[in-house]
Each structure stands twice: as structure tokens, then as C-alpha cells.
Amino acid sequence: MAANISREAGELRAALADCRGDRVAEPKITAALLAHLLVSTRELLQNLLIDTVRRPRLLMAVADPDGDPPARGA
């Protein structure tokens, strides 16, 4: 994912370099680049959070031999 984002940003930077000085195209390409970076950053951060979040541990209730549930605080 990061490689694709880097490639796409590189393409936008190249397009921006090609239109430097164009009063119409330059602001549009700049806006597209900034929007792309904002969306990409959000996606990367979201994936990072998903990948690094602590998973909840499964709590197993152990019943007493007579079948009663464990007492509170046990």
C-alpha cells in the first residue's frame, strides 16, 4: 500500500512540476496532491492502528466441579 501511495504521489509531483507557472492547472494539481496525501495518510494510520491494536483476551469462566460458576473476585 505504501509503495502505491508513493508512486501515485510521485506522479502528482511530476505533473505539478510540468505545470509550474500555469495559473489554472497548478492550483488544481496542488489541490489534488494535497487531497491525495490527506486520504493516503488517513488510510495508512488506520491500517497501522488496526495492525497494532491489542486484541482482547478471551476470558474463560471455569466452573467448580459441582457445576457452579466461579465466585466473584476468584
Side-chain angles (χ1 to χ4, degrees):
M1 179 179 201
N4 289 337
I5 291 170
S6 177
R7 181 184 47 77
E8 293 165 358
E11 291 171 5
L12 284 168
R13 282 190 202 105
L16 183 60
D18 290 342
C19 72
R20 283 271 187 235
D22 187 326
R23 298 179 84 183
V24 175
E26 187 175 1
K28 289 182 179 182
I29 298 290
T30 302
L33 177 60
L34 290 174
H36 182 271
L37 291 175
L38 286 172
V39 170
S40 301
T41 301
R42 180 186 175 275
E43 290 175 1
L44 285 172
L45 287 173
Q46 186 174 13
N47 285 341
L48 179 65
L49 287 172
I50 289 169
D51 291 342
T52 59
V53 69
R54 284 186 160 191
R55 305 293 192 270
R57 289 187 284 161
L58 182 62
L59 300 176
M60 300 288 292
V62 179
D64 289 337
D66 59 353
D68 292 333
R72 288 191 172 247

